[in-house]
DNA sequence: TTATAATATTGCAATATTACGATAAATATT
DNA sequence: AATATTTATCGTAATATTGCAATATTATAA
């Protein structure tokens, strides 16, 4: 088939997968890092920061936005982007829970 | 093209993207959750836990293993799987750093 | 109004992923 | 040895992603 069978999984599982998937590309990781580094809203210069064509960057920004990892606001004919902490927090909380569940583990077989 | 241009990004960026990508599918999220829940090495019954065919599950397990998120060890004619905490830790550390970088932020534009 | 600039969308080619039936490989059981 | 059980791999079809040129859109500037 090729299509992932999201129907069979919980909303939470699909949600986490969706956010993680958005992080699952080096260009989008680079965008997140850049936005975190400049520590501010950034208008316009994200395209110049990446070794990719403008439409490609625009696509990646869209993906990050849809996943709730970045926010964008229009400023004249430019668009300002910054990190949406909620998305990062969701992943952090999720992995913390997962981590907690396994810390007491004393598995010797693996 | 379709191929992601990993060459242009740092090793760290590619590494994080690779791990996140592995989490980027609900079936693999479900596998991680199951392994965390049972809190032990699990032999064999992962296939029964998922609404997917055995070869598909095997493929997902391989993806998680390659990303360093789970470990597997042979036990007779079965294989035992459990979470590899290193993978989870890497993501946690990374997002914590990212989170730290942006907590002082007082952006009002987004 | 007519450029100019910044970003988004469309269309398309190349590649990757997902899913599964069929089959292989390896060990366990009879 | 023959059979059953468990997991992995192969082959393949359906779908998704990635990347970019061309173009559209929107707002500013001249």
């Amino acid at each position: 088939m090729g299509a992932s069978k999201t129907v069979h999984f919980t909303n939470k599982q699909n949600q986490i997968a969706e956010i993680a998937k958005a992080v699952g590309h080096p260009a989008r990781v680079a965008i997140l890092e850049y936005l975190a580094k400049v520590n501010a809203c950034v208008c316009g210069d994200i395209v110049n920061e990446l070794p990719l064509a403008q439409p490609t960057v625009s696509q990646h920004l869209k993906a990050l936005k849809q996943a709730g990892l970045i926010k964008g606001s229009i400023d004249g004919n430019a668009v300002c982007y910054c990190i949406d902490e909620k998305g990062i927090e969701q992943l952090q909380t999720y992995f913390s829970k997962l981590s907690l569940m396994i810390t007491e583990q004393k598995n010797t077989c693996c």
Side-chain angles (χ1 to χ4, degrees), chain A:
Chain A
M1 312 271 165
S4 60
K5 297 177 134 191
T6 55
V7 193
H8 300 304
F9 303 98
T10 67
N11 284 343
K12 186 71 188 175
Q13 285 166 344
N14 281 309
Q15 194 191 0
I16 292 297
E18 213 179 304
I19 306 176
K21 195 176 184 180
V23 185
H25 191 287
R28 293 193 288 264
V29 170
I31 290 173
L32 290 177
E33 284 181 10
Y34 177 64
L35 289 177
K37 194 182 71 181
V38 298
N39 203 28
C41 289
V42 163
C43 296
D45 56 347
I46 296 180
V47 172
N48 306 322
E49 284 293 318
L50 294 176
L52 295 168
Q54 178 267 322
T56 308
V57 175
S58 188
Q59 238 176 1
H60 284 308
L61 288 168
K62 192 181 176 183
L64 286 169
K65 206 169 164 187
Q66 280 180 339
L69 285 162
I70 65 172
K71 286 181 286 185
S73 63
I74 297 166
D75 175 34
N77 62 343
V79 177
C80 290
Y81 283 106
C82 64
I83 285 190
D84 188 343
E85 297 185 51
K86 276 177 226 154
I88 311 267
E89 255 173 52
Q90 273 191 79
L91 285 181
Q92 271 191 292
T93 305
Y94 184 78
F95 288 121
S96 290
K97 277 184 191 167
L98 216 61
S99 213
L100 258 174
M101 287 170 83
I102 57 175
T103 37
E104 312 114 28
Q105 217 167 322
K106 304 154 194 105
N107 304 318
T108 48
C109 89
C110 291

